Amino acid sequence: IAISVVVIVIMIGMASLLNANVVHKKSQDMRSIMDNLSFIMDDISRNLRTGSNYYCITGGDTLSNVSTPKNGQSCWGIAFECSDPLTCNSANPNDQWVYYVDNTGKVFKSTQGPYTTINSFVQLTPNEVTVTGNVGGVQVSGFSVLGAEAPDDGDLQQPFAIIELTGNINYKNIITPFSLQASVSQRLVDRIVTP
């Protein structure tokens, strides 16, 4: 009887231990995916902060003709001049860095300019992550750009971008929603206003 009781207690303990191990593994995997999303937000923020000439890619825009700064809300992509002197030249209109959210819900990046082939774009988000483009016709993921254009009466606002990534993580048939947002101001002084 004593041996039977000990065996039952050990079996219950082993089942609990194995279950705790599975839960811990899932938790670690989810944490890894969330760390990846945080890294993506940090990468976009850091490069936008040191970049210039923000261009909001909206609506029917293509990844061409993005050399002139453009303001906008609900942008599905953003192009800008990077600050790396080895890969970017502000006189070259074809070497901007580009981040965009495609129609499958993945975030892509190119450091070779928007005019290169689609193969130059690298997928940043893991396959378990789907960024939602819009819900009910309202854009919930993407970019907004303010102060990039120079209106005729003078631009006194430093270029500013808002990054919003909202969507779901589908890991082992468990769907976890997420929402990340960051705002970035261009570090380089936009224009010097003279009296």
Side-chain angles (χ1 to χ4, degrees):
I1 292 173
I3 292 173
S4 298
V5 170
V6 169
V7 168
I8 291 171
V9 169
I10 290 174
M11 289 178 66
I12 292 172
M14 286 299 290
S16 297
L17 183 63
L18 291 174
N19 190 34
N21 191 27
V22 168
V23 169
H24 178 69
K25 174 75 172 126
K26 284 184 180 179
S27 174
Q28 280 185 317
D29 292 344
M30 285 296 292
R31 183 68 210 162
S32 176
I33 293 169
M34 287 304 296
D35 286 347
N36 184 295
L37 286 170
S38 294
F39 175 78
I40 291 168
M41 289 294 283
D42 184 54
D43 181 58
I44 297 171
S45 299
R46 183 178 59 252
N47 290 319
L48 279 173
R49 188 174 294 116
T50 58
S52 60
N53 294 335
Y54 300 166
Y55 183 93
C56 171
I57 306 170
T58 59
D61 285 354
T62 60
L63 294 176
S64 61
N65 193 23
V66 296
S67 58
T68 304
K70 176 184 162 189
N71 294 331
Q73 304 268 334
S74 303
C75 316
W76 57 265
I78 188 166
F80 60 97
E81 291 289 340
C82 77
S83 64
D84 184 359
L86 298 176
T87 59
C88 295
N89 175 2
S90 61
N92 181 358
N94 301 326
D95 67 349
Q96 292 90 355
W97 285 20
V98 179
Y99 291 94
Y100 78 94
V101 179
D102 78 346
N103 56 5
T104 65
K106 305 300 179 203
V107 177
F108 287 86
K109 173 185 179 180
S110 172
T111 60
Q112 299 175 13
Y115 305 107
T116 57
T117 64
I118 200 70
N119 295 334
S120 70
F121 286 88
V122 177
Q123 181 177 326
L124 298 179
T125 49
N127 291 329
E128 294 86 3
V129 173
T130 302
V131 176
T132 308
N134 62 61
V135 174
V138 177
Q139 186 80 18
V140 295
S141 288
F143 309 89
S144 296
V145 176
L146 307 167
E149 296 175 3
D152 294 337
D153 58 338
D155 178 10
L156 300 178
Q157 181 178 358
Q158 190 70 354
F160 185 78
I162 299 171
I163 309 156
E164 298 174 276
L165 297 179
T166 302
N168 295 311
I169 300 169
N170 188 347
Y171 180 72
K172 295 194 176 184
N173 297 324
I174 298 173
I175 297 175
T176 307
F178 70 89
S179 181
L180 301 170
Q181 183 176 5
S183 55
V184 179
S185 179
Q186 178 180 298
R187 184 177 292 165
L188 179 69
V189 174
D190 186 28
R191 292 174 182 81
I192 298 174
V193 179
T194 55

